[in-house]
Amino acid sequence: MIASTSHISIDGDRLLDRIDQLSRIGADPRGGVTREAWGDADVEARDLVARWMAAADLRPTVDPAANLVGRSPGHGDRWLATGSHLDTVVQAGPLDGTYGVLAALEVASSLHDAGHHMQHGLLVAAFANEEGARGTSGMTGSYACVGHTEEAPPDEVDDAGVTVGERILAAGGDPDRLREARWDPDAIDAFVELHIEQGPVLHANGTSIGVVSAITGRQALDLSITGVANHAGTTPMDLRHDALAAAADVVLAVESLPGPGSVRVATCGHLLVGPNVRNVVPGRVEMGIELRDEDPETLAAGTRRLIERIDAVAARRGVAMDRRLGQMVPPVTSDPRIVDAARAVCERTGTSWELLPSGAGHDAQVIGRMLAVGMIFVPSIGGISHSPRERTDAHHLVAGAEVLLRTLLELDEVLSATVPPSSVGDPGFR
Ligand code: HGY
Ligand code: MN
Ligand code: MN
């Protein structure tokens, strides 16, 4: 059965050309690509990808969470899903998310061009707001697909004072019908996401493909610090309640949190200072903090420890700290059948591979709350991502898309053989 699909191949030049085209939508004059979710560039990118979906014989739809989803026509009632996200962080590289969507599209195109009908239908998703635009929680689209809209709620207000619900509405979704974006878990047998590694391991080891064993968990923590804004020339140092100086202590507490027995990494990457004027003692700071670890207990313990340190800073500096636990994206383990399928494909095609965990968060881990998930990585040159300097060698990008194609073909066989025929249904797009 595998031999009968050996003539199917992705079009590497088309894939690379499309990556290039997308990198120009939201090109940032400061460098890199800024395509924050639901902004003009994001909408333009999604419109273009929707047209490419239609050309690949995928029926594109925008669901109530403003996810762009394409489905192959004329298949049975069981589905294999793949995809990633088109939104980016500020001054991103060209590949984070976009690569997985365009490679998924390439899989659909190559199956279509070869006239090959899998036993499963193919579902290609470009999830909305994976990154958390303008200080929001992120993973909005994938959380809606698993019915956990409370994890990325529409009433959340972004840095521009606009609610996520208003953003969704403007992007063609319907925040009042978010529940209807939920996929039918009985209809979709697996979700596989192809992504750049965003870390240094594959590049350093000279390995072409990473088969992901598990995806890290992430706990967000928001902090509002209220001190006393005052004149920078007249207020003696010992009488200040400087919110930014307190924030600096918190940043250092965050930085010193990871270590043996504690969380793997901790970051404060978001800071708004008020009034943000040179000659005023800062009176107010908003901070966005996150902790990551593969073990949920370690994550919870690290969060408790950080809160103790934050409270100590508040007491010492005489400022008020309003701290709110934000989104918790739990770690997820890859489905062994997907790991085996990707491994088998690499072995068969003579592609070097290794098993590794993902330190970055992905839509796959949210989808993993409901469905069997797995991920395939390609090397990031120098391990750089969330940066305009994010790059992957062209031959690795093409190889990754080929491995995605063959892994899905393998799963089409394996999962058709093992999933009982009673598990049929609609993939959940109404
Ligand atoms: O932050 C992350 O890990 C993901 O890229 N959103
Ligand atoms: Mn990212
Ligand atoms: Mn990503």
Side-chain angles (χ1 to χ4, degrees):
M1 194 61 81
I2 297 298
S4 70
T5 60
S6 58
H7 65 289
I8 307 173
S9 180
I10 66 121
D11 182 336
D13 289 339
R14 180 171 54 192
L15 172 64
L16 297 172
D17 176 63
R18 285 179 170 175
I19 290 172
D20 191 52
Q21 287 190 56
L22 263 282
S23 74
R24 280 181 254 129
I25 301 179
D28 192 315
R30 300 165 298 178
V33 185
T34 299
R35 211 163 51 229
E36 286 189 285
W38 305 311
D40 290 347
D42 184 42
V43 170
E44 185 183 339
R46 289 149 43 100
D47 287 350
L48 179 58
V49 170
R51 289 201 293 280
W52 287 338
M53 279 182 173
D57 210 17
L58 291 172
R59 190 157 43 95
T61 51
V62 175
D63 76 7
N67 293 309
L68 172 64
V69 182
R71 287 184 294 166
S72 60
H75 287 282
D77 293 323
R78 303 240 306 275
W79 298 79
L80 291 176
T82 181
S84 191
H85 58 98
L86 293 170
D87 65 303
T88 73
V89 294
V90 174
Q91 289 196 267
L95 299 171
D96 176 1
T98 301
Y99 170 53
V101 174
L102 295 181
L105 196 54
E106 201 50 52
V107 169
S109 300
S110 54
L111 293 174
H112 176 64
D113 294 350
H116 181 82
H117 294 277
M118 294 199 299
Q119 298 166 73
H120 290 82
L122 183 68
L123 187 157
V124 172
F127 295 106
N129 194 29
E130 192 269 355
E131 297 286 10
R134 307 167 199 89
T136 58
S137 296
M139 308 280 188
T140 310
S142 43
Y143 266 122
C145 290
V146 296
H148 282 281
T149 51
E150 75 285 354
E151 304 280 358
D155 59 358
E156 192 177 10
V157 179
D158 69 19
D159 287 345
V162 179
T163 65
V164 166
E166 290 170 283
R167 298 278 187 195
I168 289 175
L169 197 61
D174 184 348
D176 295 331
R177 292 171 47 232
L178 278 190
R179 292 266 160 212
E180 295 173 33
R182 184 173 186 266
W183 290 358
D184 178 352
D186 293 329
I188 305 175
D189 284 346
F191 174 77
V192 185
E193 183 172 357
L194 174 67
H195 207 282
I196 54 167
E197 182 201 336
Q198 307 182 274
V201 176
L202 297 175
H203 178 67
N205 294 347
T207 311
S208 296
I209 294 292
V211 178
V212 173
S213 53
I215 308 172
T216 192
R218 181 179 65 184
Q219 173 69 63
L221 179 69
D222 293 317
L223 194 60
S224 303
I225 306 178
T226 308
V228 180
N230 209 339
H231 197 290
T234 60
T235 315
M237 297 309 287
D238 60 342
L239 294 180
R240 293 182 179 203
H241 301 279
D242 183 330
L244 182 56
D249 280 347
V250 172
V251 170
L252 296 178
V254 170
E255 192 198 25
S256 65
L257 193 66
S262 184
V263 293
R264 184 171 57 80
V265 289
T267 309
C268 171
H270 184 246
L271 206 66
L272 296 175
V273 182
N276 209 19
V277 172
R278 188 194 302 267
N279 57 356
V280 179
V281 176
R284 189 163 172 89
V285 171
E286 302 289 337
M287 304 178 74
I289 298 164
E290 57 147 72
L291 319 179
R292 299 196 193 204
D293 202 87
E294 285 68 41
D295 176 44
E297 299 299 325
T298 306
L299 204 48
T303 306
R304 284 194 300 272
R305 178 130 40 104
L306 180 60
I307 286 172
E308 286 168 14
R309 293 187 187 182
I310 287 171
D311 289 349
V313 171
R316 193 171 68 245
R317 293 242 172 218
V319 298
M321 301 244 190
D322 174 25
R323 44 179 171 68
R324 303 168 302 279
L325 280 183
Q327 191 182 56
M328 160 67 178
V329 188
V332 70
T333 305
S334 300
D335 188 279
R337 296 166 302 173
I338 301 175
V339 170
D340 285 349
R343 271 207 298 226
V345 164
C346 292
E347 294 288 346
R348 203 165 52 238
T349 56
T351 310
S352 63
W353 66 276
E354 63 184 285
L355 197 64
L356 81 174
S358 172
H362 298 286
D363 291 304
Q365 80 192 103
V366 171
I367 300 299
R369 287 171 84 145
M370 193 172 86
L371 297 179
V373 294
M375 290 193 76
I376 298 163
F377 279 173
V378 294
S380 293
I381 295 174
I384 295 174
S385 186
H386 281 187
S387 156
R389 288 161 59 222
E390 171 190 272
R391 293 286 178 275
T392 294
D393 281 329
H395 72 276
H396 283 141
L397 294 171
V398 176
E402 279 289 345
V403 170
L404 176 66
L405 165 67
R406 303 215 167 278
T407 299
L408 290 168
L409 287 168
E410 179 99 6
L411 288 170
D412 185 42
E413 295 295 326
V414 173
L415 299 181
S416 296
T418 56
V419 177
S422 61
S423 301
V424 298
D426 184 89
F429 301 96
R430 287 163 274 261

mmCIF file of all heavy atoms in Angstrom, residues 96 130-131 139 198 218 290 292 359-362 386, ligand 1:
data_model
loop_
_atom_site.group_PDB
_atom_site.id
_atom_site.type_symbol
_atom_site.label_atom_id
_atom_site.label_comp_id
_atom_site.label_asym_id
_atom_site.label_seq_id
_atom_site.Cartn_x
_atom_site.Cartn_y
_atom_site.Cartn_z
ATOM 1 N N ASP A 96 7.767 30.620 11.687
ATOM 2 C CA ASP A 96 7.018 30.162 12.858
ATOM 3 C C ASP A 96 5.529 30.148 12.524
ATOM 4 O O ASP A 96 4.935 31.196 12.320
ATOM 5 C CB ASP A 96 7.330 31.100 14.037
ATOM 6 C CG ASP A 96 6.541 30.781 15.300
ATOM 7 O OD1 ASP A 96 5.752 29.826 15.301
ATOM 8 O OD2 ASP A 96 6.718 31.523 16.285
ATOM 9 N N GLU A 130 -2.548 32.264 17.679
ATOM 10 C CA GLU A 130 -1.713 31.335 18.446
ATOM 11 C C GLU A 130 -0.792 32.100 19.377
ATOM 12 O O GLU A 130 -0.549 31.713 20.515
ATOM 13 C CB GLU A 130 -0.898 30.466 17.475
ATOM 14 C CG GLU A 130 -0.222 29.264 18.140
ATOM 15 C CD GLU A 130 1.182 29.539 18.639
ATOM 16 O OE1 GLU A 130 1.716 30.647 18.404
ATOM 17 O OE2 GLU A 130 1.755 28.656 19.291
ATOM 18 N N GLU A 131 -0.262 33.221 18.889
ATOM 19 C CA GLU A 131 0.819 33.884 19.621
ATOM 20 C C GLU A 131 0.353 34.738 20.799
ATOM 21 O O GLU A 131 1.131 35.028 21.685
ATOM 22 C CB GLU A 131 1.629 34.776 18.660
ATOM 23 C CG GLU A 131 2.329 34.029 17.533
ATOM 24 C CD GLU A 131 3.567 33.255 18.003
ATOM 25 O OE1 GLU A 131 3.783 33.141 19.221
ATOM 26 O OE2 GLU A 131 4.301 32.770 17.134
ATOM 27 N N MET A 139 -3.497 31.152 21.574
ATOM 28 C CA MET A 139 -4.125 29.848 21.316
ATOM 29 C C MET A 139 -5.661 29.984 21.244
ATOM 30 O O MET A 139 -6.384 29.031 21.515
ATOM 31 C CB MET A 139 -3.780 28.815 22.397
ATOM 32 C CG MET A 139 -2.311 28.667 22.682
ATOM 33 S SD MET A 139 -1.504 27.646 21.451
ATOM 34 C CE MET A 139 0.126 27.479 22.195
ATOM 35 N N GLN A 198 12.661 25.956 16.549
ATOM 36 C CA GLN A 198 12.784 27.196 17.340
ATOM 37 C C GLN A 198 13.807 27.063 18.462
ATOM 38 O O GLN A 198 13.852 27.895 19.367
ATOM 39 C CB GLN A 198 11.432 27.643 17.921
ATOM 40 C CG GLN A 198 10.331 27.759 16.873
ATOM 41 C CD GLN A 198 9.020 28.244 17.446
ATOM 42 O OE1 GLN A 198 8.224 27.469 17.945
ATOM 43 N NE2 GLN A 198 8.784 29.549 17.369
ATOM 44 N N ARG A 218 2.901 25.674 29.887
ATOM 45 C CA ARG A 218 3.192 27.104 30.088
ATOM 46 C C ARG A 218 2.144 27.732 31.000
ATOM 47 O O ARG A 218 0.947 27.613 30.761
ATOM 48 C CB ARG A 218 3.184 27.817 28.730
ATOM 49 C CG ARG A 218 3.497 29.295 28.826
ATOM 50 C CD ARG A 218 3.512 29.939 27.470
ATOM 51 N NE ARG A 218 2.200 29.923 26.856
ATOM 52 C CZ ARG A 218 1.935 30.363 25.625
ATOM 53 N NH1 ARG A 218 2.909 30.793 24.859
ATOM 54 N NH2 ARG A 218 0.722 30.340 25.146
ATOM 55 N N GLU A 290 5.761 34.507 32.143
ATOM 56 C CA GLU A 290 5.388 33.113 31.882
ATOM 57 C C GLU A 290 6.475 32.175 32.374
ATOM 58 O O GLU A 290 7.662 32.489 32.359
ATOM 59 C CB GLU A 290 5.110 32.879 30.394
ATOM 60 C CG GLU A 290 6.268 33.240 29.477
ATOM 61 C CD GLU A 290 6.351 32.340 28.257
ATOM 62 O OE1 GLU A 290 5.494 32.480 27.384
ATOM 63 O OE2 GLU A 290 7.288 31.504 28.188
ATOM 64 N N ARG A 292 7.690 27.912 32.114
ATOM 65 C CA ARG A 292 7.452 26.714 31.302
ATOM 66 C C ARG A 292 8.169 25.510 31.897
ATOM 67 O O ARG A 292 9.305 25.615 32.358
ATOM 68 C CB ARG A 292 7.952 26.911 29.875
ATOM 69 C CG ARG A 292 7.258 28.051 29.153
ATOM 70 C CD ARG A 292 7.474 27.984 27.660
ATOM 71 N NE ARG A 292 7.069 29.238 27.044
ATOM 72 C CZ ARG A 292 6.706 29.364 25.773
ATOM 73 N NH1 ARG A 292 6.708 28.307 24.976
ATOM 74 N NH2 ARG A 292 6.361 30.534 25.272
ATOM 75 N N GLY A 359 10.181 22.859 23.434
ATOM 76 C CA GLY A 359 10.205 23.890 24.470
ATOM 77 C C GLY A 359 9.265 25.038 24.158
ATOM 78 O O GLY A 359 8.966 25.857 25.020
ATOM 79 N N ALA A 360 8.813 25.110 22.916
ATOM 80 C CA ALA A 360 7.853 26.141 22.524
ATOM 81 C C ALA A 360 6.434 25.595 22.671
ATOM 82 O O ALA A 360 6.225 24.387 22.676
ATOM 83 C CB ALA A 360 8.094 26.562 21.080
ATOM 84 N N GLY A 361 5.496 26.490 22.793
ATOM 85 C CA GLY A 361 4.092 26.097 22.813
ATOM 86 C C GLY A 361 3.551 26.010 21.400
ATOM 87 O O GLY A 361 4.067 26.677 20.497
ATOM 88 N N HIS A 362 2.540 25.184 21.209
ATOM 89 C CA HIS A 362 1.985 24.991 19.872
ATOM 90 C C HIS A 362 0.492 24.695 19.959
ATOM 91 O O HIS A 362 0.024 24.141 20.946
ATOM 92 C CB HIS A 362 2.687 23.827 19.167
ATOM 93 C CG HIS A 362 4.142 24.056 18.951
ATOM 94 N ND1 HIS A 362 4.618 24.922 18.000
ATOM 95 C CD2 HIS A 362 5.230 23.566 19.597
ATOM 96 C CE1 HIS A 362 5.944 24.939 18.048
ATOM 97 N NE2 HIS A 362 6.339 24.129 19.006
ATOM 98 N N HIS A 386 11.281 33.645 16.869
ATOM 99 C CA HIS A 386 10.692 34.870 17.420
ATOM 100 C C HIS A 386 11.683 36.018 17.202
ATOM 101 O O HIS A 386 11.917 36.840 18.082
ATOM 102 C CB HIS A 386 10.334 34.717 18.909
ATOM 103 C CG HIS A 386 9.051 33.959 19.124
ATOM 104 N ND1 HIS A 386 8.461 33.813 20.359
ATOM 105 C CD2 HIS A 386 8.241 33.324 18.243
ATOM 106 C CE1 HIS A 386 7.352 33.114 20.243
ATOM 107 N NE2 HIS A 386 7.194 32.798 18.962
HETATM 108 O O1 HGY B 1 5.311 31.096 22.756
HETATM 109 C C1 HGY B 1 5.307 30.019 22.156
HETATM 110 O O2 HGY B 1 5.908 29.041 22.537
HETATM 111 C C2 HGY B 1 4.584 29.928 20.857
HETATM 112 O O3 HGY B 1 5.452 30.241 19.837
HETATM 113 N N1 HGY B 1 3.443 30.753 20.819
#
